[in-house]
Amino acid sequence: MAKFGIGQAVRRTEDPRFLTGRGRYAADISLPGQAHALFLRSPHAHADIRSVETAAAAQATGVLAVYTAADIEAAGLGGLTCEIPVNNRDGKPAFSPGRPLLAGTRVRFVGDTVAMVVAETAAAARDALELIDVDYEALPAIADTAAARDPGAPELWTESPGNIAFFWQCGDAEATERAFAAAERVIGLDLVNNRVAPAPLEPRAVVGDFDADSGRFTLYTPTQGAHTILNLLATETLKVPKDKIRVIVPDVGGAFGTKIFHYAEEALALWAARELGRPVKWVGDRGEAFTCDTHGRDHVSRAEAAVDGDGRVLAVRVATSANMGAYLSLDAPMIPTELYGPMVPGAYGIEAIHVVVEGVYTNTTPVDAYRGAGRPEATYLIERLMDVVAHDLELGADEIRRRNFIGAGDMPYTTAGGNTYDCGDFARNMTDAMELAGWPDIDARKAEAAARGHLRGIGMTTYVEAAAGGGDEEATIAFADDGTVTVLIGTQSAGQGHETAYAQIAAEGLGIPFETVRVVQGDTDRVRRGRGTGGSRSLPVGGAALGHAVGAVIEKGTAFAAHLLQVAEETIEIRDGRFVARGQGDGGGLDILELAAAARIAENRPASMDEGLDTSARYKPETPTFPNGCHVCEVEIDGDTGELRIVGYVIVDDFGTIINPLLIAGQIHGGVVQGIGQAMMEQVAYDPQSGQLLSASFADYALPRADDLPSFGLAFNAVPTANNPLGAKGAGEAGAIAACAAVVHAVVDALKPFGVRHIDMPVTAEKIWRAMTTPPSNGDRS
């Protein structure tokens, strides 16, 4: 194995520039002559716009232009669209509202964009915003997911009566009902998956430029997929040919799903640049990130299990209301449907499921993909249900899982959700995690905590996720005159360490020094195609494409080496990174860099060989991969105040082939922390009457800090998958998928003396204190 090859814990090559302040983000980019844009956002959750007076703002010092919806309409620009078809209960297509770049007649959530000011400086633009006079007529608002379908609730769209955005179902309804009719017991649970804000470290920013001579636009934006933004600009918003747009993605300071999507500011900055003949820059602030960037999760569900006399779960039925916010975002309907329903069986051999999902509109920020995107919601639901079944049957959390696991020997196994798991050993993951966490000794630790007036609890989550989808990916390997090798690829790093991982694959496969590899992402002029990053796909899909490109280079190199060495191609061997003829001594032959240099000279090449060894290759997965694992969380609660502290957290994961265990550990730690944050403290909160966002800053929206967390124990049970050429399953989202339920299970275990069967996220100290001081109601607390 090469020192810096696959499987090695190589430190990230990106880190020196980030740690020394040499990272270059969108907000760092300034172009000569640039102007500055700011946007007027609605203060109302629901209101008609009677008029927008901009004359005073347009005449203010330093102001170049003020734009409203009327200007956008006159220019013929399009709007933001949802790419996922939606249906009504009768199976007919449902109404899918577009979202205007600027709201013209009605605003539907706090933060809906009404006007754009472009000025010489950001300060001048901010002053001008104060001079815009919008006459609003406030309307009743609805912000609560569960109440959106209530009779008499305010409706957002006349085309969507009752605020129903769509109806969707999966599974076998008849088989599920038969299982419930035959069940020994039916055990149910109502639960909420709370709304969260992605809150990446870097707020969004854009710089738009237009070159009048070429008629080309250039956009700098921190997106998860440059080509996605280019395509949507060309077809939906700017409506210009694709070859007239270049999208450049600088360093991205975190994304977590919210930076997948095309936002109005991107199109408006480019259009304004063309109108004004100078670059236009916008830098969003944290308040705008909370109000305008897509949110995640926000489900209200009823889950029920049909259980036989041996504690086997025969069937599960689920009814979920999924909050879409005020508009359907790009991929929004897919998250609580195709990415959620089929994963409800989890790691269990459940014979039948029936999942019904209603998407609902509310006067809130649109909801779309957030780290895990549907898989965390499914895992939380089935894992909470399994723990409640264990509680009601008086079985251990481990025992209910052992009775219901899909066995390693049952693989490949097609679940009731329609997924075919190719491999995995779920029972072993759980056994190893329990041992690593000291599960058998928990009673002693509980007794010690009780002596101090504290409550201790332990909980586990077993999970399976579907990953590595999203279409094909292409990788190109290019050899330069200076001896470096460039990998060009259409995924996009937002802090994951792609530059390091891709260099490891290329270095090992080509037998070249790790430090000679350069990785290029996020430039649509240099990288000709790409699907971007999301769904834990970059290494399993992008890495597989790079592996194919490496193989193609080796194939071309073998043929060229045979030509240069004047031997038959089948006699060429690769030995210590060198192409040598069979029987040739060590130190002979040529390495790939020498071959590439020779291939650039036309006289060296045979007539059948095109120029050089540069090669592109694509990979398209036929099926998803299925990462899986077990998390164990241990908590301690102050018996007087309800203050919650995580005192232990253990993770055992199966990601198949691991390219770099150091990068994997970082991804898992980050995902777990986000899951812990949702479970313990994060909550996007709206006033239920006015629809005002109550958590629009870090003063009101809590994120976990380092001192909220223990050191994590991490181990792997690697079962390489045949669904991927590298054997890799994907890892970027797994931590967030499993952590929520593990925390809640541990809290419920600690609160058993108080008759608590369930508690909804976030499990704040106040909520815990109320659970300890309020008499139980049917054994269920929320």
Side-chain angles (χ1 to χ4, degrees):
M1 182 181 291
K3 179 180 179 182
F4 296 106
I6 292 174
Q8 297 299 296
V10 179
R11 289 185 178 273
R12 301 193 333 165
T13 57
E14 302 94 326
D15 285 350
R17 78 169 186 272
F18 293 145
L19 295 173
T20 56
R22 292 182 287 117
R24 189 167 185 252
Y25 300 90
D28 296 322
I29 294 169
S30 292
L31 301 180
Q34 74 183 10
H36 297 264
L38 287 176
F39 296 90
L40 184 68
R41 316 287 187 179
S42 170
H44 296 280
H46 203 193
D48 284 331
I49 299 174
R50 290 174 168 174
S51 64
V52 182
E53 298 296 336
T54 63
Q59 295 169 11
T61 301
V63 172
L64 301 172
V66 180
Y67 300 117
T68 66
D71 301 300
I72 302 306
E73 183 178 355
L77 299 186
L80 306 176
T81 58
C82 174
E83 300 292 297
I84 308 300
V86 290
N87 292 325
N88 292 314
R89 184 176 287 270
D90 60 9
K92 296 179 180 178
F95 170 69
S96 181
R99 180 178 173 185
L101 299 179
L102 295 175
T105 59
R106 179 172 288 187
V107 291
R108 291 180 168 85
F109 71 98
V110 173
D112 222 349
T113 310
V114 176
M116 175 187 189
V117 173
V118 185
E120 295 288 353
T121 66
R126 191 170 303 281
D127 290 342
L129 286 181
E130 300 292 332
L131 300 176
I132 299 174
D133 183 15
V134 183
D135 184 8
Y136 294 103
E137 180 180 357
L139 299 171
I142 181 70
D144 184 72
T145 307
R149 292 279 288 110
D150 287 351
E155 292 185 347
L156 276 74
W157 303 96
T158 57
E159 299 89 344
S160 299
N163 291 317
I164 299 177
F166 60 82
F167 174 87
W168 182 90
Q169 60 183 327
C170 76
D172 188 329
E174 292 183 359
T176 300
E177 291 310 308
R178 286 195 299 270
F180 270 83
E184 181 84 12
R185 293 188 65 174
V186 173
I187 296 173
L189 172 69
D190 296 307
L191 70 164
V192 173
N193 204 298
N194 45 316
R195 179 185 285 232
V196 292
L201 185 64
E202 174 206 24
R204 290 188 299 112
V206 301
V207 180
D209 195 15
F210 179 74
D211 180 68
D213 293 334
S214 65
R216 293 196 82 207
F217 295 92
T218 300
L219 175 70
Y220 300 85
T221 185
T223 178
Q224 291 175 235
H227 293 86
T228 298
I229 305 306
L230 184 152
N231 291 335
L232 292 170
L233 283 165
T235 60
E236 303 292 341
T237 52
L238 284 184
K239 297 184 177 180
V240 299
K242 292 181 181 180
D243 63 0
K244 294 298 183 181
I245 303 172
R246 181 184 186 184
V247 177
I248 299 174
V249 184
D251 290 321
V252 181
F256 313 127
T258 195
K259 291 180 182 175
I260 292 173
F261 315 113
H262 178 28
Y263 288 93
E265 295 88 356
E266 294 166 327
L268 291 170
L270 290 175
W271 174 72
R274 184 177 65 183
E275 293 295 297
L276 298 172
R278 56 195 294 187
V280 174
K281 180 176 183 176
W282 167 75
V283 178
D285 61 29
R286 185 59 63 182
E288 288 176 298
F290 275 112
T291 56
C292 303
D293 293 4
T294 57
H295 293 166
R297 315 293 191 244
D298 205 342
H299 287 192
V300 176
S301 299
R302 173 69 182 176
E304 294 178 312
V307 186
D308 70 11
D310 296 322
R312 290 272 306 168
V313 176
L314 306 175
V316 168
R317 59 188 176 201
V318 177
T320 293
S321 289
N323 197 335
M324 295 288 98
Y327 303 92
L328 291 182
S329 181
L330 183 71
D331 295 325
M334 180 173 64
I335 310 308
T337 57
E338 297 171 27
L339 299 184
Y340 167 70
M343 295 309 301
V344 162
Y348 308 111
I350 300 166
E351 297 172 3
I353 66 166
H354 185 218
V355 179
V356 173
V357 180
E358 280 189 335
V360 297
Y361 291 116
T362 61
N363 295 113
T364 62
T365 301
V367 174
D368 211 313
Y370 171 63
R371 196 170 192 168
R375 282 73 52 83
E377 296 91 317
T379 296
Y380 183 70
L381 182 138
I382 190 62
E383 287 298 296
R384 284 298 301 123
L385 185 59
M386 294 301 289
D387 252 39
V388 166
V389 170
H391 172 278
D392 289 6
L393 298 182
E394 298 182 349
L395 294 173
D398 56 330
E399 181 59 26
I400 195 66
R401 286 168 172 80
R402 285 194 186 92
R403 295 185 187 190
N404 286 278
F405 273 147
I406 300 165
D410 296 328
M411 304 293 182
Y413 183 92
T414 301
T415 73
N419 287 305
T420 300
Y421 301 162
D422 66 304
C423 63
D425 193 338
F426 309 145
R428 180 186 171 195
N429 293 339
M430 184 181 72
T431 299
D432 289 357
M434 291 175 69
E435 181 179 350
L436 192 59
W439 189 287
D441 303 320
I442 185 60
D443 287 342
R445 297 195 295 277
K446 285 185 176 184
E448 188 277 330
R452 294 183 283 107
H454 287 192
L455 303 159
R456 191 167 282 232
I458 195 166
M460 71 167 68
T461 295
T462 55
Y463 79 94
V464 186
E465 67 152 319
D472 66 346
E473 201 56 70
E474 181 177 84
T476 297
I477 295 173
F479 295 86
D481 292 339
D482 63 0
T484 61
V485 178
T486 299
V487 172
L488 301 102
I489 195 161
T491 58
Q492 180 62 52
S493 179
Q496 298 95 330
H498 291 183
E499 292 177 32
T500 304
Y502 288 143
Q504 287 180 259
I505 294 171
E508 175 161 303
L510 297 174
I512 58 176
F514 173 80
E515 59 273 12
T516 65
V517 182
R518 307 288 182 265
V519 176
V520 174
Q521 303 175 88
D523 185 338
T524 57
D525 272 13
R526 297 186 67 188
V527 181
R528 62 188 182 186
R529 66 194 311 275
R531 294 298 189 104
T533 291
S536 303
R537 70 184 302 273
S538 292
L539 259 296
V541 183
L546 178 56
H548 286 342
V550 166
V553 168
I554 295 299
E555 185 177 343
K556 290 173 70 172
T558 299
F560 186 50
H563 171 75
L564 290 179
L565 297 174
Q566 298 183 343
V567 298
E569 186 174 333
E570 57 269 21
T571 68
I572 293 293
E573 300 174 344
I574 302 175
R575 199 184 306 152
D576 295 327
R578 301 187 70 80
F579 292 73
V580 299
R582 188 179 300 133
Q584 190 174 10
D586 292 339
L590 300 157
D591 66 29
I592 196 70
L593 297 178
E594 293 168 331
L595 282 172
R600 283 192 290 273
I601 301 172
E603 306 87 78
N604 291 338
R605 297 194 301 269
S608 59
M609 183 179 178
D610 59 8
E611 183 176 349
L613 297 185
D614 295 0
T615 302
S616 297
R618 296 180 187 177
Y619 171 70
K620 182 177 182 179
E622 295 182 2
T623 60
T625 59
F626 297 98
N628 58 87
C630 180
H631 291 208
V632 175
C633 178
E634 190 168 336
V635 302
E636 193 165 289
I637 296 170
D638 187 302
D640 293 324
T641 66
E643 182 183 3
L644 172 65
R645 187 166 61 95
I646 297 179
V647 296
Y649 202 102
V650 164
I651 306 147
V652 175
D653 282 320
D654 171 13
F655 297 136
T657 301
I658 293 174
I659 305 299
N660 183 324
L662 194 62
L663 297 184
I664 287 281
Q667 286 292 289
I668 297 311
H669 289 181
V672 167
V673 171
Q674 285 184 286
I676 288 173
Q678 181 180 1
M680 289 180 60
M681 61 191 70
E682 294 187 47
Q683 174 75 63
V684 173
Y686 286 92
D687 182 272
Q689 277 74 47
S690 67
Q692 288 294 321
L693 180 61
L694 304 178
S695 53
S697 76
F698 287 131
D700 300 298
Y701 187 91
L703 289 179
R705 302 173 183 235
D707 60 358
D708 294 316
L709 307 164
S711 294
F712 300 131
L714 178 59
F716 300 107
N717 283 332
V719 183
T721 175
N723 290 355
N724 181 268
L726 298 175
K729 296 179 178 178
E733 296 165 304
I737 287 169
C740 289
V743 173
V744 173
H745 292 165
V747 170
V748 171
D749 182 57
L751 295 176
K752 275 183 180 178
F754 299 94
V756 174
R757 179 176 179 261
H758 175 65
I759 189 168
D760 272 325
M761 301 185 291
V763 285
T764 60
E766 178 189 358
K767 198 177 287 187
I768 292 171
W769 179 82
R770 291 187 184 280
M772 294 190 298
T773 57
T774 305
S777 175
N778 299 321
D780 205 355
R781 300 275 182 74
S782 296

